[in-house]
């Protein structure tokens, strides 16, 4: 399994500012993922972050808006830039680790960061 | 592109009773994984159960079992002997077997399960 922590757990920010969310894992992992969960909705993948390479962004998400760092195998940050009220969401970090048998990798999720933009 | 549909936004069950949550999906792939995730009010998402598409046998984890119908692209979750702690949002999710560039999960919109004492 993997124990994941995120900082901050919640924040209230002003329009036009930026917030950096940290994700720390208790063991080394190759793949880390950042998801967004808008109020009352499902999870949408923002990007995949592999250590030593540029993050891969999903359609509708761009690096200028959501820059990601992955300096080592246990840590990643997601920045939400130039925020607007539409960015109010829960942002979740997820990691992939080997599971039971057959080369299966399970995804584990952090507790999330609840962001409110005024 | 793959899609996952959960047609029940909310469900309710009496404690100790059985409830079934529905999930359908669309894919052209033959090998893939299906999952049910639970997200309690505390928000920490946890895996409930996983099914490999190449396995005909339905997965079971204690009180949780699935009814996997590959031809119908249906993947329902049955919770037996429901407990108060089962109250949560349940997400059905799909992942390609190979993964490709990203092993991303594709989530349904979720079913909010309430358990009545």
């Amino acid at each position: 399994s993997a124990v994941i922590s995120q900082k901050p757990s919640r924040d209230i920010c002003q329009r036009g500012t930026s917030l950096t969310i940290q994700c720390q894992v208790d063991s080394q992992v190759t793949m880390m993922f950042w998801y967004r969960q808008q109020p009352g909705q499902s999870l949408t993948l923002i990007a995949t972050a592999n250590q030593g390479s540029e993050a891969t962004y999903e359609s509708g998400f761009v690096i200028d808006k959501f820059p990601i760092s992955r300096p080592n195998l246990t840590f990643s940050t997601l920045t939400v830039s130039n925020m607007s009220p539409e960015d109010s969401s829960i942002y979740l970090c997820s990691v992939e680790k080997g599971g039971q048998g057959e080369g299966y990798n399970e995804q584990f999720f952090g507790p999330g960061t609840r962001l409110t933009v005024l | 592109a793959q899609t996952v549909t959960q047609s029940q936004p909310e469900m309710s069950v009496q404690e100790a009773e059985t409830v079934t949550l529905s999930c359908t999906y669309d894919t052209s792939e033959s090998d893939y994984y299906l999952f049910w995730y639970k997200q309690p009010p505390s928000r920490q998402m946890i895996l409930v159960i996983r099914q490999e598409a190449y396995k005909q046998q339905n997965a079971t984890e204690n009180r949780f079992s699935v009814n996997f119908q590959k031809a119908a692209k249906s993947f329902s979750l049955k919770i037996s002997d429901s407990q108060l702690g089962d109250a949560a949002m349940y997400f059905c999710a799909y992942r390609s077997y190979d993964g490709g560039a990203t092993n991303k999960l594709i989530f349904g919109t979720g079913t909010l399960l309430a358990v009545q004492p």
Side-chain angles (χ1 to χ4, degrees):
Chain A
S1 67
V3 178
I4 305 169
S5 60
Q6 288 186 230
K7 290 183 181 179
S9 58
R10 59 177 62 224
D11 207 342
I12 300 173
C13 301
Q14 295 298 318
R15 181 195 301 260
T17 62
S18 298
L19 176 72
T20 295
I21 302 168
Q22 299 179 3
C23 177
Q24 180 75 52
V25 192
D26 68 339
S27 56
Q28 293 184 343
V29 294
T30 301
M31 300 185 78
M32 297 181 77
F33 306 86
W34 286 98
Y35 287 86
R36 181 175 73 181
Q37 186 177 19
Q38 293 180 302
Q41 297 189 26
S42 187
L43 284 79
T44 302
L45 181 66
I46 297 171
T48 303
N50 290 338
Q51 196 268 338
S53 63
E54 293 288 324
T56 302
Y57 288 82
E58 295 297 305
S59 176
F61 298 97
V62 295
I63 187 171
D64 290 346
K65 176 67 175 177
F66 297 101
I68 288 171
S69 76
R70 182 77 201 275
N72 57 54
L73 292 173
T74 63
F75 187 79
S76 177
T77 67
L78 170 75
T79 299
V80 186
S81 303
N82 188 25
M83 289 184 286
S84 67
E86 291 71 34
D87 293 321
S88 297
S89 292
I90 298 171
Y91 292 86
L92 295 104
C93 171
S94 171
V95 304
E96 190 174 86
K97 282 199 71 173
Q100 295 179 356
E102 302 153 2
Y104 168 72
N105 291 327
E106 183 174 335
Q107 280 197 22
F108 300 89
F109 288 82
T113 295
R114 183 181 293 274
L115 171 62
T116 301
V117 184
L118 303 178
Chain B
Q2 296 83 20
T3 59
V4 177
T5 302
Q6 292 178 251
S7 59
Q8 305 156 315
E10 297 182 13
M11 292 281 285
S12 182
V13 63
Q14 291 292 128
E15 199 174 4
E17 296 294 310
T18 295
V19 65
T20 298
L21 308 184
S22 301
C23 173
T24 59
Y25 60 95
D26 190 28
T27 184
S28 58
E29 299 174 334
S30 57
D31 290 326
Y32 47 87
Y33 295 103
L34 294 166
F35 308 87
W36 278 98
Y37 279 88
K38 172 184 177 181
Q39 188 179 42
S42 65
R43 293 203 312 275
Q44 187 98 38
M45 187 90 76
I46 57 174
L47 178 65
V48 174
I49 200 166
R50 163 186 109 237
Q51 175 80 42
E52 289 90 341
Y54 64 86
K55 290 186 176 179
Q56 294 186 345
Q57 185 173 8
N58 289 324
T60 299
E61 288 288 342
N62 301 314
R63 297 182 296 106
F64 299 88
S65 62
V66 299
N67 183 5
F68 173 50
Q69 303 289 329
K70 190 172 184 179
K73 297 180 182 175
S74 171
F75 182 62
S76 61
L77 174 69
K78 184 171 81 171
I79 306 174
S80 304
D81 186 25
S82 296
Q83 301 175 358
L84 295 177
D86 295 333
M89 181 72 85
Y90 286 83
F91 290 101
C92 179
Y94 172 104
R95 197 181 87 187
S96 297
Y97 186 77
D98 177 46
T102 64
N103 293 337
K104 69 176 182 180
L105 290 167
I106 300 170
F107 287 89
T109 50
T111 297
L112 182 62
L113 178 66
V115 181
Q116 308 298 331

